[in-house]
Amino acid sequence: MARILVAAEHSGGKLNASTAKCIACGTSVPGAEVCVAVLAADGAAVAAEAAAIQGVARVLLVRNPANEPALAAVLAPQFAKLAAGFDLVLGPSTTFGRDLMPRIAALLGAPQLSDVMVAESATRFRRPVYAGIAIVTVEAPAGRQVVATVRVASFAAAPTGGSAPIESIAVDAPVPPSTRFVSVSAARNDRPDLQTAARVVSGGRALGSADNFKLIQGLADKLGAAVGASRAAVDAGYAPNELQVGQTGKIIAPELYVAIGISGAIQHLTGIKDARTIVAINKDAEAPIFEVADYGLVGDLFTLVPEIEKLL
Amino acid sequence: MRRILVGIKRVIDFNVRVRVRPDGAGVVTDGVKMSANPFDSIALEEALRLRERGEADEVLAVSIGPGEAQQQLRDALAMGADRAILVKSDTALEPLAVAHVFLELAKRESPRLVILGKQAIDDDCSQTGQMLAALWNRPQATFASKLEIQGEAARVTREVDAGLEVIEVDLPAVITTDLRLNEPRYIKLPDIMKAKKKPLDVIEIVSLGVDATPVLKVVKYEAPPQRQKGIIVKDAGELVAALKQRGLA
Ligand SMILES: Cc1cc2nc3c(=O)[nH]c(=O)nc-3n(C[C@H](O)[C@H](O)[C@H](O)COP(=O)(O)OP(=O)(O)OC[C@H]3O[C@@H](n4cnc5c(N)ncnc54)[C@H](O)[C@@H]3O)c2cc1C
Ligand SMILES: Nc1ncnc2c1ncn2[C@@H]1O[C@H](COP(=O)(O)O)[C@@H](O)[C@H]1O
């Protein structure tokens, strides 16, 4: 039996949606037993949420005021202690997991697989390289402990309906004072979250200004969609960094992705490959985005977007 | 000496359309343009700016890889690094082994900062900096888009999923760069000449006592399934009708 530990991501007393996807990855491993570790200041509500996810065998809750806000240097030594006896330690490929998991892996002396798309077993995985241009199948030696981040866009969240026991555990690990949290910009709004939204409307360099970018927001609101952006649009200051879609931004898999004034650079396309339906609006009929679009519309976005909005 | 160590990985240039080899044993590398990993050029630029602001005395560029990586180190010296080390290894290394190499160099060189890229654009691992920080038992500030030195600490703005996070880390620390940290300067012709006189040491990885044997076995490379090219609709009306039919609008 493969023993799997999932590092839970949470904030503001709520479990992040990425955790249920890691659990889904864990339970996809044949013969797996999946435990979830919640490291929090209080954590009761988060642990209860985790315990209610189907397929979870046990929730380990470690409470320490130093655990929030999450800092990899503080959390990693605790996770490394908890990981003893587990074959596979999973975390999400969100910025939380990408920051934390390699630090755990190094403390364990374990190799890490990043962005796992398929876990064929507890030692055999598939993951993308070269911005998704190639998929590699990688095998770890049997009996060797492995750490992995889970490509959240590749897994549907495990459903609720479970009732796993919650165990409070004390972990004896140092809390290094050399890393201090200062602040986080909470640019939260009432729009759907980019990483979990069923529909996403993204704008690119063609928008030309932050003011024009409101056109994207308007269409997104009409569609009940989240807003995304290309790197060029973020670099130019039309949209905030957390909206960047692509190799170095967010990898997403919505039902509908609408790319407006985005050329379709490989680094952008790698972020939307798993979208169910892609729509592209671009004035250049030769733009590479049309190679992957299910529906392409050639023309000026400044006339087309208002037209579309009117028809919705 | 207040030193900054930067990593320079030799990778396929980001403009190259990478292709999987027909035998599935890797990607096509013959005659393909190689460059420094873009995030590493950003790391080097940041180190140079810190030196120019008086926050460092020496910038040391390090690459671990084949002999040809001297080319990327020469470029780094031309950009402004003071010194370079190539740690020679003819086999591809896993991030944990690379982190062990950086750890050995950190012990020898006692840097104030180690600045690496947030990810190498070939393996897309995004592991090495965090692993080094753990092995070295020092703080890490990953995905940095702003870096300020304040005495013996650094204040770093990080690009995280929620937006921008600010943390403070005591030095020495490991920083990994995000794209918006800076825009690397261009190399000027006279600097290429000057760089030829700068020290570039080549050492063997075994001399650092690091075990470079890969733990993981790469079974095969495959191209992902291609998306089907769709249709071009003639106007907004046709598009909206299609979306409505599919229940997407
Ligand atoms: C290491 C690395 C990582 C990267 N990571 C990412 C990433 O994560 N995400 C990302 O997006 N990019 C990333 N990039 C950048 C990427 O290579 C492209 O530069 C970027 O995606 C281009 O953005 P764009 O399509 O908005 O701009 P452009 O390529 O300039 O395209 C603008 C498009 O708008 C069209 N257009 C112009 N005017 C109009 C109009 N009035 N109406 C309709 N169409 C119009 C043009 O025909 C053009 O196709 C990365 C690059 C590197 C090197
Ligand atoms: N072989 C290498 N030589 C020099 N630096 C490296 C090497 N491998 C990784 N790095 C550094 O570690 C960063 C992250 O790499 P990775 O963890 O492989 O995604 C890179 O951007 C480099 O700064």
Side-chain angles (χ1 to χ4, degrees), chain A:
Chain A
M1 184 186 63
R3 300 194 63 212
I4 299 177
L5 183 68
V6 170
E9 175 173 10
H10 59 91
S11 67
K14 283 208 169 110
L15 196 64
N16 188 294
S18 63
T19 304
K21 296 182 169 215
C22 289
I23 293 167
C25 175
T27 55
S28 75
V29 173
E33 184 196 82
V34 179
C35 295
V36 178
V38 175
L39 271 56
D42 171 59
V46 176
E49 266 191 88
I53 295 174
Q54 275 184 35
V56 175
R58 252 174 338 129
V59 176
L60 314 177
L61 173 59
V62 181
R63 299 166 121 133
N64 185 332
N67 285 346
E68 285 180 59
L71 292 169
V74 173
L75 299 182
Q78 300 174 55
F79 274 115
K81 285 248 160 104
L82 289 174
F86 285 94
D87 303 299
L88 176 60
V89 185
L90 297 178
S93 64
T94 55
T95 50
F96 163 82
R98 283 155 42 102
D99 188 40
L100 173 66
M101 301 314 288
R103 191 154 183 134
I104 298 174
L107 293 177
L108 294 172
Q112 179 177 311
L113 284 306
S114 297
D115 294 317
V116 165
M117 309 166 74
V118 180
E120 294 178 7
S121 73
T123 51
R124 191 175 158 112
F125 308 90
R126 286 154 60 78
R127 61 171 298 262
V129 293
Y130 292 98
I133 283 173
I135 310 296
V136 288
T137 301
V138 182
E139 216 166 51
R144 177 97 192 212
Q145 189 177 40
V146 174
V147 173
T149 60
V150 174
R151 186 177 182 273
V152 288
S154 298
F155 294 88
T160 54
S163 58
I166 300 170
E167 271 172 53
S168 273
I169 306 193
V171 176
D172 182 23
V175 174
S178 48
T179 308
R180 295 171 292 278
F181 175 84
V182 179
S183 64
V184 67
S185 70
R188 273 287 126 101
N189 52 32
D190 44 6
R191 283 211 180 79
D193 172 56
L194 176 57
Q195 253 160 326
T196 46
R199 297 173 184 176
V200 175
V201 179
S202 279
R205 193 198 309 273
L207 270 299
S209 71
D211 209 37
N212 288 346
F213 204 83
K214 295 201 183 104
L215 209 56
I216 300 296
Q217 288 150 357
L219 181 59
D221 288 346
K222 266 270 161 92
L223 285 166
V227 173
S230 72
R231 177 185 167 200
V234 175
D235 283 358
Y238 309 161
N241 68 284
E242 64 269 23
L243 298 191
Q244 183 176 316
V245 171
Q247 181 189 18
T248 50
K250 290 185 174 129
I251 312 271
I252 56 175
E255 292 291 315
L256 174 67
Y257 185 75
V258 185
I260 301 177
I262 292 177
S263 60
I266 178 71
Q267 295 89 358
H268 188 82
L269 298 185
T270 190
I272 59 169
K273 247 204 299 269
D274 293 336
R276 182 75 61 83
T277 300
I278 296 178
V279 171
I281 301 172
N282 196 304
K283 70 175 182 191
D284 173 11
E286 304 296 314
I289 189 81
F290 289 125
E291 296 297 316
V292 299
D294 300 280
Y295 298 105
L297 184 51
V298 181
D300 185 355
L301 75 92
F302 294 104
T303 47
L304 290 171
V305 173
E307 274 178 37
I308 293 167
E309 245 189 76
K310 242 181 260 158
L311 293 167
L312 287 170

